[in-house]
Amino acid sequence: MVAPYPDLALDPMPTRPHQILELLQEKQQEFKRFDQATLQGLQRYRQSLSQFSQLAHHCPEAVVESLAAAPQGIIPSHLVWKNREESLNWVRQRLEGVATFAVDGSQIYPSKDISIPVALVQVGWFENRHEPGGNYEKDVRLDLLTPEDLRDLSGGLADRKVNLRRFQMEVQRLVDYVEEHGGDRRCLVFLDGSLVATFAEAFDPETQQVYTRALVTLLQASETHQVPVVAYVDTSYARDLTQLLHHSFSLPDLPTLHDAQLLSPQMQWGDRSPLLRCQRDILSQHYGSQGDRVGFLYLKVHDGAPARLELPLWIAEAGRLEEVLDWVRGEVIIGSGYPYAIETADQVAVLQASDRQLFYRILQDWAEQADLRLRLSRKMVSKARRRS
């Protein structure tokens, strides 16, 4: 009888720290040269902030609000509290009776371990009406991608189709909410991500169009129904502002320098940059009448770099920018550094490993009843046995 292989044979090889350290020492000068060049360029960009108000002369099409209050590129909030209780009192004064709404999604991708191509998408939402009784709503919506949906797709292309469906469902739920609350001046909708679909430029034209069409529909709904939508990007590597400074003041192009990194040292909690019009090519090429209707700014809401906010420009034109930004600040205070509505929507939507196993069990049982030949790989059966 052959002895079974020991479990030890399945263990991964450990990383060898001494080899990593040797490589770092060997390439130390390359890191130093990069660090020095980046630091010198960063200093020049930060010096250019003293001329920030001149952007109105160099690129007036990008300027949305007066830059007089932001001589260094920063509009101070002057928000300081002695303790958290004081900050929460401030939040109550601004957010009580204001409904905040966010959506997030999760998915189970098609697996090579299952003989039938199938995927599951779940979006979850959370609405907090900020009423004394704690009135809120959370729920989920599911969709199934069948072999017909995933036909002729495999690997990364199939996953991309799932991601696209999730995005469509998330944005459509936001649009539904906006339409349901048309004219309601006491609600705020969060998009977890960007209103500018630059990420889609890597995809084929048809996929790009699906992404941009969804976002244009959201922008149009927001403006038509006068319901504020704020796209929130906590960790942003966008370079819209640095590109404006680069072209306006003939600064060296630094591809590794991003807006949030540039602004962060000058900002205190609650401070923001002026609202500027986003002028990326994808907007003018794919957003139609909304191509020049998206603005961006940076808001300091925690100890790290400022978050990037994107929003339809009608909010500023209606004189509601400061009100909406205070609502965002309030949500971040409640969430201890991250908008509470977005954080909760994520928790509602997420599919855990146990959900995945449940999905596969339901799928297998259903396939047997439907007389479908569903086969699971030995690997999946082994995993299920080990985890049960």
Side-chain angles (χ1 to χ4, degrees):
M1 181 177 177
V2 179
Y5 288 101
D7 290 341
L8 185 62
L10 301 176
D11 290 344
M13 286 292 292
T15 302
R16 295 172 179 171
H18 70 279
Q19 291 187 358
I20 298 175
L21 187 57
E22 287 174 2
L23 287 168
L24 288 171
Q25 294 287 5
E26 179 184 331
K27 301 176 184 291
Q28 181 175 339
Q29 290 305 314
E30 296 177 33
F31 284 98
K32 285 187 174 181
R33 286 193 294 270
F34 172 82
D35 188 57
Q36 185 176 16
T38 301
L39 180 61
Q40 290 174 348
L42 179 59
Q43 289 173 340
R44 290 189 60 183
Y45 272 84
R46 285 183 175 155
Q47 289 169 0
S48 74
L49 290 176
S50 62
Q51 308 171 65
F52 192 87
S53 60
Q54 294 183 26
L55 286 179
H57 169 72
H58 291 289
C59 45
E61 67 282 357
V63 177
V64 176
E65 59 179 331
S66 171
L67 303 182
Q72 299 290 325
I74 306 298
I75 299 176
S77 68
H78 304 295
L79 292 173
V80 180
W81 301 283
K82 295 178 182 178
N83 49 51
R84 181 162 175 78
E85 183 179 353
E86 281 193 4
S87 68
L88 290 175
N89 285 333
W90 181 88
V91 171
R92 276 189 288 271
Q93 293 170 13
R94 271 121 188 114
L95 274 182
E96 187 168 333
V98 175
T100 53
F101 183 80
V103 179
D104 204 352
S106 187
Q107 66 285 315
I108 298 174
Y109 291 114
S111 172
K112 292 182 292 185
D113 297 316
I114 300 178
S115 60
I116 296 178
V118 61
L120 184 70
V121 177
Q122 174 171 283
V123 295
W125 59 87
F126 176 72
E127 181 193 36
N128 188 349
R129 299 184 180 94
H130 295 284
E131 295 175 349
N135 194 1
Y136 66 89
E137 176 191 334
K138 56 183 179 180
D139 206 344
V140 298
R141 182 180 293 168
L142 291 167
D143 194 17
L144 198 70
L145 277 75
T146 69
E148 185 71 20
D149 298 316
L150 301 169
R151 183 175 53 189
D152 301 327
L153 298 176
S154 62
L157 291 177
D159 291 354
R160 182 184 298 177
K161 183 68 174 286
V162 176
N163 292 336
L164 179 59
R165 183 64 187 126
R166 169 183 161 176
F167 184 84
Q168 289 176 296
M169 290 176 65
E170 290 178 5
V171 176
Q172 186 57 52
R173 184 65 189 94
L174 294 176
V175 172
D176 292 345
Y177 184 87
V178 168
E179 292 175 346
E180 292 163 4
H181 292 78
D184 186 350
R185 291 184 56 88
R186 302 288 287 171
C187 66
L188 169 65
V189 172
F190 281 103
L191 171 68
D192 184 12
S194 178
L195 283 167
V196 186
T198 307
F199 59 88
E201 290 180 327
F203 303 147
D204 60 273
E206 183 179 352
T207 302
Q208 282 186 40
Q209 189 177 39
V210 175
Y211 277 108
T212 55
R213 188 187 301 125
L215 290 169
V216 168
T217 300
L218 178 60
L219 287 165
Q220 290 173 334
S222 174
E223 184 161 8
T224 298
H225 298 283
Q226 297 288 285
V227 174
V229 172
V230 171
Y232 189 93
V233 183
D234 183 69
T235 304
S236 170
Y237 299 97
R239 305 183 63 244
D240 301 86
L241 177 57
T242 55
Q243 286 296 97
L244 284 175
L245 296 173
H246 162 64
H247 292 295
S248 297
F249 303 117
S250 301
L251 297 172
D253 188 22
L254 292 179
T256 58
L257 177 62
H258 47 87
D259 300 347
Q261 175 188 4
L262 174 65
L263 294 172
S264 188
Q266 280 73 243
M267 303 180 85
Q268 302 296 321
W269 195 98
D271 293 353
R272 69 174 179 94
S273 63
L275 180 66
L276 298 171
R277 177 177 282 105
C278 191
Q279 298 178 293
R280 295 188 197 173
D281 291 342
I282 194 169
L283 290 170
S284 59
Q285 294 170 1
H286 296 283
Y287 278 59
S289 62
Q290 294 294 322
D292 62 350
R293 304 291 294 155
V294 179
F296 72 94
L297 58 84
Y298 292 88
L299 182 68
K300 182 75 169 178
V301 288
H302 48 58
D303 292 339
R308 178 182 171 97
L309 274 56
E310 296 169 359
L311 55 153
L313 291 182
W314 73 261
I315 296 174
E317 294 165 356
R320 299 188 58 192
L321 181 60
E322 289 304 328
E323 175 187 51
V324 169
L325 292 179
D326 273 350
W327 291 350
V328 176
R329 291 181 180 106
E331 275 285 311
V332 171
I333 290 173
I334 297 171
S336 299
Y338 195 76
Y340 183 74
I342 300 178
E343 181 181 35
T344 308
D346 171 75
Q347 295 171 359
V348 172
V350 67
L351 288 165
Q352 307 281 0
S354 58
D355 299 313
R356 185 173 290 104
Q357 295 303 318
L358 176 62
F359 170 60
Y360 291 143
R361 285 200 300 272
I362 293 172
L363 179 64
Q364 189 173 21
D365 293 343
W366 172 83
E368 290 177 1
Q369 295 174 7
D371 197 25
L372 295 175
R373 289 175 293 177
L374 175 69
R375 297 184 304 277
L376 303 181
S377 71
R378 296 293 301 174
K379 174 183 176 182
M380 178 166 286
V381 173
S382 175
K383 281 185 176 180
R385 186 173 61 245
R386 290 198 305 271
R387 293 172 181 172
S388 61

